Amino acid sequence: MSENNHVVEKGGNIHPNNVDEAISNIDADERDRILRNFETFKNYLGRRVKMAQSIGLGEEQMTVIAEEVADYLANNESPRNSEEMLLQELWAVGTKEERHMLAHVLLRMVQPQNKH
C-alpha cells in the first residue's frame, strides 16, 4: 500500500476513509486468525492502540478510526464468535452517538491498564 493510502501518517494525521482498503489488504488467512477468537482480536486491537498512542494519537482520533473499523467489520465480515455477534448487533441498532461511545468503550477495554 502506498504511503498515500495509510490510515495514520508518521506525523499523526489520520485518514479514516482509508480503513476499508487497509483492512482488505490484510491477508485473508491472517484476518480470519485475528477474528476467529475474541481474545486474539482484543490483543490485536490492543497492540494497534498502543502503537497509535506511541505516535501521539489521542483517544478521540483513535475512536474515529475504531468507528471506521467497526463499520467495515459490520458490513464485510461475518461474526466468528458470540462476542463479535453481540458487537455486530449493538452496532446495528446503535445511533451514531451510541456507536461513537461503543468505539470509546472498545478502545478502553483493550488498553493494558484495563485488562483483567
Side-chain angles (χ1 to χ4, degrees), residues 74-114:
N75 294 323
N76 297 291
E77 297 287 340
S78 296
R80 291 168 174 82
N81 52 60
S82 58
E83 295 90 350
E84 288 178 6
M85 178 66 78
L86 175 61
L87 287 173
Q88 188 179 60
E89 289 179 17
L90 290 171
W91 200 257
V93 300
T95 65
K96 183 169 179 54
E97 293 81 17
E98 290 166 336
R99 289 177 177 184
H100 186 77
M101 291 309 300
L102 183 56
H104 272 287
V105 170
L106 289 170
L107 289 174
R108 288 189 194 130
M109 179 179 67
V110 300
Q111 292 176 2
Q113 69 270 19
N114 295 324

Side-chain angles (χ1 to χ4, degrees), residues 10-78:
K10 291 178 186 172
N13 294 326
I14 65 169
H15 303 282
N17 294 335
N18 293 345
V19 165
D20 287 10
E21 184 177 350
I23 294 174
S24 65
N25 283 332
I26 298 173
D27 177 73
D29 289 337
E30 177 66 4
R31 202 168 47 242
D32 185 58
R33 184 192 69 76
I34 293 165
L35 296 173
R36 188 175 329 120
N37 178 285
F38 193 64
E39 287 302 315
T40 303
F41 172 72
K42 286 185 351 183
N43 289 334
Y44 180 84
L45 184 57
R47 288 191 308 274
R48 295 298 177 252
V49 167
K50 187 176 179 178
M51 184 185 319
Q53 289 171 329
S54 74
I55 63 169
L57 263 62
E59 184 175 337
E60 195 58 38
Q61 290 173 301
M62 290 186 286
T63 300
V64 169
I65 295 169
E67 287 179 90
E68 291 295 324
V69 169
D71 279 339
Y72 176 89
L73 293 174
N75 294 323
N76 297 291
E77 297 287 340
S78 296

